[in-house]
Amino acid sequence: MGTPFGLDDDAFHEECGVFAVCGNPEAAALAALGLHALQHRGQEAAGIITVDNGSFFAHHGIGEVGDIFASPQVMARLKGDMAIGHNRYSTAGGGGMRNIQPLYADFEFGGFALAHNGNLTNAMTLRRQLVQRGALFHTTADTETVVHLMAMSRANDPVGRMIEALRQIEGAYSIVAMTQNKIIGVRDPMGVRPLVLGKLENGSHVLASETVALDIIGAEFVRDIKPGEMVVLTPEGVTSLMPFQPGPSRMCVFEYIYFARPDSNIDGRNVYEARKRIGAQLAREAHVDADVIVPVPDSGVPAAIGYAAESGIPFELGIIRNHYVGRTFIEPTDQIRHLGVKLKHNANQARLEGKRVVLVDDSIVRGTTSRKIVDMVRQAGAKEVHMRISSPPTRHPCFYGIDTPSREKLIAAQMEIDEIARFIGADSLSFISVDGLYDAMESAPRVAASPAFCDACFTGEYPIALTDVSTDVHNASASALRSEAGK
């Protein structure tokens, strides 16, 4: 897929969201609603597979959920009382219909569907071994590796085969899978990616990447799936297994900073409140005399509210976001790309003119968008522009399910903070410290040997082996390996 019009892709992208429901006659409609609530986790493509009396029905499409599943005819074809669904953000080179999940395969035990959020860090190594053994891959998605490992398994049932396959896998994952008569959900042993269990009034159960997908369908939140846990859903209820030795929990801290919806609760923390606390901590660490605190919408809003409350400086919507910027038929030439931020954001001049402004944003990736926003605020008449970032400097790429540039394209890996400030044109620039972030998360102080979160993008300390990167599979760069994962 091409880049959304008006954006230069100077942002991090979550690569997918998953949803599953078992034992409900409206399974397909519930799945579509759940995926709609998880749209922020992937806007490139989506798919739903259902089961009805042993027969599987599927619909996949490129685009957003509301368009893909808008047709009553499409929904009518998705028969059955079980469904799994997937939203996808495709990395470069990983797009196309063949990679849209859920994936489907026929086994000797019957049909099997699988959807995955995260990234498998030894998938390319395993893929090469499987191809040498005769496996024929149909996608470039690392998720398909699980299907082939299950095919090689000698276990007697789908659950046993899946356990055997996942014991060979390294990486971060939340997975939902479906057989003819059950839903399977599993979270990696360190719990890097989120997965929650919910329950509907009729007693049927739901799995989803975030609690907002439960809210939209009126499901009660039951609990977070534990790191290393597998749950099996049937119309009779939920069975919990612990087939994988759980490691120390390493939930991705960026879920709280940016990726999850602010109205979600993840591992017992409300995301909105966490972002406000991060903003307040940022104000304590990097106070500057100013007239207004302005968020870079929308992800900077909760942190800016926290910053304003702590600093005592008024909060203002000095930048207004156009929520209706979508794709266009216009070819984005360099001249048009230059207008990109103006299409997405517009300065509220009445709130900025003559003011000393603190801009609060969640991150700086390449720095090009920050540069345009700072310039836009200056053109609106701001007297000073100070940038405050609610995450530490991102100096390392993610290999666990977030699409990040290679290290040489991360501005914080190439420049000191004062150099970045000059590049983006800000009077000053500060990031929250790693220790401050942990304080704001109400966590124990960070210990290098055992941090409470996965913070590798800030620290370079990767908690899960990077086999494909360290063995330089096919002489591919780390960036190319992430592209091959392509979820």
Side-chain angles (χ1 to χ4, degrees):
M1 290 294 294
T3 304
F5 177 65
L7 307 181
D8 61 359
D9 210 28
D10 185 22
F12 296 132
H13 297 278
E14 178 60 86
E15 293 189 28
C16 48
V18 297
F19 184 92
V21 57
C22 179
N24 194 293
E26 301 294 329
L30 293 173
L33 287 168
L35 293 181
H36 179 75
L38 298 172
Q39 186 74 83
H40 59 288
R41 301 185 75 89
Q43 299 89 46
E44 296 287 341
I48 292 174
I49 297 181
T50 63
V51 172
D52 184 46
N53 294 320
S55 297
F56 287 72
F57 302 88
H59 185 75
H60 300 80
I62 293 173
E64 296 185 354
V65 173
D67 297 324
I68 297 168
F69 299 103
S71 165
Q73 291 77 21
V74 165
M75 298 306 296
R77 289 196 297 270
L78 294 172
K79 298 182 289 185
D81 63 358
M82 291 196 304
I84 65 171
H86 186 269
N87 280 342
R88 182 170 185 269
Y89 171 80
S90 64
T91 54
M97 287 292 293
R98 64 176 179 161
N99 281 339
I100 301 175
Q101 297 186 38
L103 302 182
Y104 175 82
D106 279 309
F107 286 90
E108 57 185 321
F109 59 74
F112 182 79
L114 179 76
H116 165 216
N117 169 213
N119 200 52
L120 310 181
T121 55
N122 66 339
M124 296 298 290
T125 300
L126 291 170
R127 184 187 185 103
R128 182 174 58 181
Q129 296 168 357
L130 288 162
V131 168
Q132 289 171 349
R133 295 170 64 183
L136 299 174
F137 281 76
H138 300 286
T139 76
T140 59
D142 57 355
T143 312
E144 192 178 358
T145 306
V146 179
V147 174
H148 286 282
L149 290 172
M150 288 180 63
M152 301 287 183
S153 169
R154 297 189 179 277
N156 294 325
D157 64 286
V159 172
R161 287 186 182 221
M162 196 168 177
I163 291 171
E164 201 168 286
L166 291 176
R167 282 179 174 158
Q168 302 172 66
I169 289 291
E170 297 168 355
Y173 54 83
S174 288
I175 292 175
V176 294
M178 184 169 62
T179 70
Q180 294 175 347
N181 55 14
K182 61 176 64 74
I183 298 280
I184 304 167
V186 61
R187 196 173 173 195
D188 73 77
M190 288 192 174
V192 176
R193 304 258 70 88
L195 189 65
V196 299
L197 175 69
K199 188 175 183 179
L200 287 157
E201 285 187 357
N202 73 339
S204 57
H205 284 88
V206 178
L207 292 168
S209 291
E210 294 182 34
T211 56
V212 289
L214 307 182
D215 297 338
I216 197 172
I217 61 171
E220 173 193 359
F221 169 74
V222 176
R223 63 180 178 86
D224 293 280
I225 302 303
K226 300 171 188 173
E229 182 183 14
M230 175 179 281
V231 291
V232 180
L233 313 184
T234 65
E236 287 71 44
V238 180
T239 302
S240 173
L241 307 171
M242 293 297 293
F244 313 108
Q245 183 64 37
S249 178
R250 292 287 192 278
M251 162 58 70
C252 170
V253 74
F254 236 115
E255 291 281 357
Y256 296 101
I257 296 168
Y258 173 64
F259 290 118
R261 251 178 55 171
D263 45 339
S264 280
N265 296 297
I266 294 181
D267 278 359
R269 292 179 176 88
N270 178 262
V271 175
Y272 178 79
E273 293 300 329
R275 290 178 187 169
K276 283 175 60 180
R277 291 196 302 271
I278 291 170
Q281 178 66 24
L282 183 58
R284 290 190 285 271
E285 292 185 357
H287 176 78
V288 61
D289 290 335
D291 301 309
V292 292
I293 308 301
V294 173
V296 177
D298 287 322
S299 55
V301 171
I305 291 172
Y307 192 109
E310 180 67 23
S311 67
I313 300 170
F315 171 95
E316 295 283 2
L317 293 178
I319 300 173
I320 307 301
R321 181 182 174 188
N322 179 2
H323 289 266
Y324 301 98
V325 175
R327 302 183 185 283
T328 180
F329 59 88
I330 300 174
E331 181 66 25
T333 62
D334 289 342
Q335 184 177 0
I336 295 297
R337 284 183 193 279
H338 181 69
L339 301 175
V341 173
K342 281 291 186 73
L343 287 173
K344 187 177 179 182
H345 298 113
N346 191 47
N348 184 0
Q349 186 172 354
R351 298 290 90 196
L352 300 173
E353 191 168 12
K355 303 290 180 59
R356 297 170 297 169
V357 177
V358 174
L359 290 174
V360 179
D361 204 356
D362 58 83
S363 59
I364 295 180
V365 185
R366 293 179 175 90
T368 51
T369 295
S370 298
R371 186 175 185 172
K372 291 174 183 176
I373 287 174
V374 169
D375 181 62
M376 181 176 65
V377 171
R378 286 201 188 280
Q379 288 185 31
K383 186 162 59 175
E384 297 175 12
V385 183
H386 304 272
M387 182 73 85
R388 296 294 181 264
I389 305 299
S390 63
S391 65
T394 303
R395 297 191 170 104
H396 305 272
C398 177
F399 297 93
Y400 301 138
I402 296 166
D403 181 32
T404 56
S406 55
R407 194 159 193 259
E408 60 269 19
K409 293 182 180 179
L410 290 168
I411 193 170
Q414 306 305 316
M415 295 183 185
E416 297 299 325
I417 292 176
D418 59 344
E419 293 178 294
I420 301 172
R422 287 194 294 272
F423 175 81
I424 67 174
D427 291 288
S428 72
L429 168 67
S430 292
F431 297 78
I432 194 170
S433 66
V434 172
D435 289 340
L437 176 61
Y438 273 68
D439 285 345
M441 293 302 300
E442 299 181 332
S443 167
R446 188 184 191 280
V447 179
S450 183
F453 302 98
C454 179
D455 54 22
C457 52
F458 310 134
T459 65
E461 297 174 18
Y462 294 96
I464 302 171
L466 304 178
T467 298
D468 287 343
V469 177
S470 59
T471 57
D472 198 24
V473 179
H474 296 166
N475 294 317
S477 67
S479 177
L481 286 168
R482 289 195 303 278
S483 295
E484 279 297 307
K487 286 178 297 303

